[in-house]
Amino acid sequence: MGSSRLSARALLNLVGELDPTHAVYEALAERIRLLILDGRIPTGTRLPSERELAMQAGRSRTTIVACYQALRDGGYLVSRQGSGSTAALPGADSIPAGASRTIDFARAVPPPVAGLDDLFASVSFVDALNGPGFDLQGNLALRKALAARYSERGLPTTPDQIMVTMGGQHAIALIAHTLIVRPDIALIEAPTYPHAYDALRRAGARLATTPVTTEGWDLDHLLEVVSTIRPALAYLVPDFHNPTGASMLPEERTLIVEAARASGTTLVIDETTADLDIDRGWDDGPFARHAHRRSPTGSDGVITLGSLSKSIWGGIRLGWIRASTPVIRRLVQARPAGDLGTPQLEQLLAEQIVTSLPQLLSQRRELLREHREALSRLLAVHLPGWTVPRPHGGLSLWTQLDRPASSALTSLCEAHGLALVAGPKFSIDGAFERFLRLPFTSPIADLDEGVRTLANTWTQLSHPAGHAAPQGLEMV
Ligand SMILES: Cc1ncc(COP(=O)(O)O)c(C=O)c1O
């Protein structure tokens, strides 16, 4: 929750024109109420004093006092002696703090895949004791196993084209810090995986966006942006995109590769979610195949990253990068500024996992199918006004609400013991207030309890308590 202070001038800028058919105090209270509900005034924000607001607005003190009182009566303002008035949501303070556990709909974190415990038991970790126990590029046996999987899936790869990282996020951050030179432009999808745009921005990139929906990419827009602004780098999630669940068609991939090549744009293809297929019915193999076909020998302008976090378990911090040998060399050289290498223990385990992937992935598919069905059913029953997509894979439902109040819902749910991430977090400009990413990775009992909380909170938010108008106050 926020704890910043809003000046009278900033508040009035947000408020804009008042509805002339209502008393000023009422019209002003209504505008402030809506700003709190749609998250533009975050809960916990300290509002200006009544005196300051009255002066700045050129209104009587009585009007502002009545406005704040109306907000207090509705539960949108909490006033305490000495600490002023802060924005709130009705009902949030009726929940006893720490009364119940928190259900996590914020993170799309699946449980360990079935069969992982047996695999743990079968691996001998003693070999890790021979040597330092960590390394910069990754151990050869694991790199061979990862390269073999790419080759089997239609993308010839050698072990020196692979670097092992501590998860997908580590790979994104390392690529960003190594390749971006201020003031490069990086193209990202909107919405997208938020920690990726954070990493790109921190590395100094200026961000440009291209839209994706649950139906897929606006290819004309994407190609146009690549050819006109010629970004240094484009970060894309072509399979079971986070958060929409969309997959890019094979012919779209070819066109993107061609446009990127013409513009000198490096494609950073995040395949962290690529193995989360439930029922897509086709597999186009690694995205970089489309580039390799055109340039089988040289550098193909595509950097791919992958991870075991979603398909197997996030507790094994194990990801990788596939790129041309010179790019891998640059990344290996740059790495020690951030960390000194991936632990051998994880790598020994990962090697076994990669060789057993087909069986493990079919287990993962069953869990995802069951959980997707459960969450879809629950939402249809409890929130019939929402538009719930049916993605063919991935970990979440990019759900459309029947009005733009994702941030307010998220704040209020937090107080009810349900952690969420509001739609705007998936954009760089505060868009997607009408959307909520709902992961289906929690246990089914938690999905059930979480959706009930979601529905009750939505009802509470949609029908807030009214208030009676005091007498004798000025009109707009
Ligand atoms: C698209 C995408 N890339 C990367 C990551 C980070 O993966 P890891 O847990 O392996 O760091 C995530 C995690 O949610 C993700 O959704």
Side-chain angles (χ1 to χ4, degrees), residues 4 70 82 256 260 338-339 419:
S4 55
I256 292 167
D339 74 283

Side-chain angles (χ1 to χ4, degrees), residues 28-210:
L28 186 59
E30 179 58 11
R31 293 290 304 147
I32 295 176
R33 187 180 78 85
L34 291 174
L35 288 165
I36 295 171
L37 277 177
D38 75 9
R40 281 185 292 162
I41 299 180
T43 53
T45 303
R46 189 164 158 195
L47 264 55
S49 70
E50 289 157 350
R51 183 194 303 274
E52 183 194 350
L53 185 56
M55 267 177 49
Q56 187 71 37
R59 301 286 182 184
S60 76
R61 180 94 187 272
T62 323
T63 294
I64 305 301
V65 167
C67 164
Y68 275 21
Q69 188 55 46
L71 287 168
R72 263 193 296 274
D73 292 346
Y76 294 94
L77 209 57
V78 175
S79 301
R80 286 198 187 86
Q81 197 79 42
S83 57
S85 299
T86 52
L89 283 164
D93 57 355
S94 63
I95 318 298
S100 61
R101 70 197 175 98
T102 296
I103 291 183
D104 187 0
F105 279 14
R107 294 181 302 169
V109 181
V113 71
L116 191 60
D117 43 357
D118 290 341
L119 221 132
F120 260 75
S122 72
V123 175
S124 165
F125 291 104
V126 181
D127 288 352
L129 298 174
N130 299 325
F134 58 95
D135 62 78
L136 282 173
Q137 186 169 356
N139 87 35
L140 185 59
L142 175 56
R143 287 189 286 120
K144 274 185 178 162
L146 289 166
R149 181 156 192 258
Y150 278 115
S151 302
E152 281 156 21
R153 298 181 68 230
L155 179 63
T157 301
T158 54
D160 60 356
Q161 286 178 276
I162 302 281
M163 171 177 193
V164 178
T165 64
M166 293 183 288
Q169 182 60 31
H170 178 212
I172 297 168
L174 182 62
I175 292 165
H177 280 283
T178 310
L179 298 192
I180 287 178
V181 181
R182 232 177 262 268
D184 278 349
I185 297 178
L187 178 67
I188 57 164
E189 293 142 335
T192 190
Y193 165 57
H195 298 312
Y197 73 67
D198 271 350
L200 291 165
R201 201 146 46 186
R202 274 170 187 256
R206 290 176 296 152
L207 301 179
T209 60
T210 190

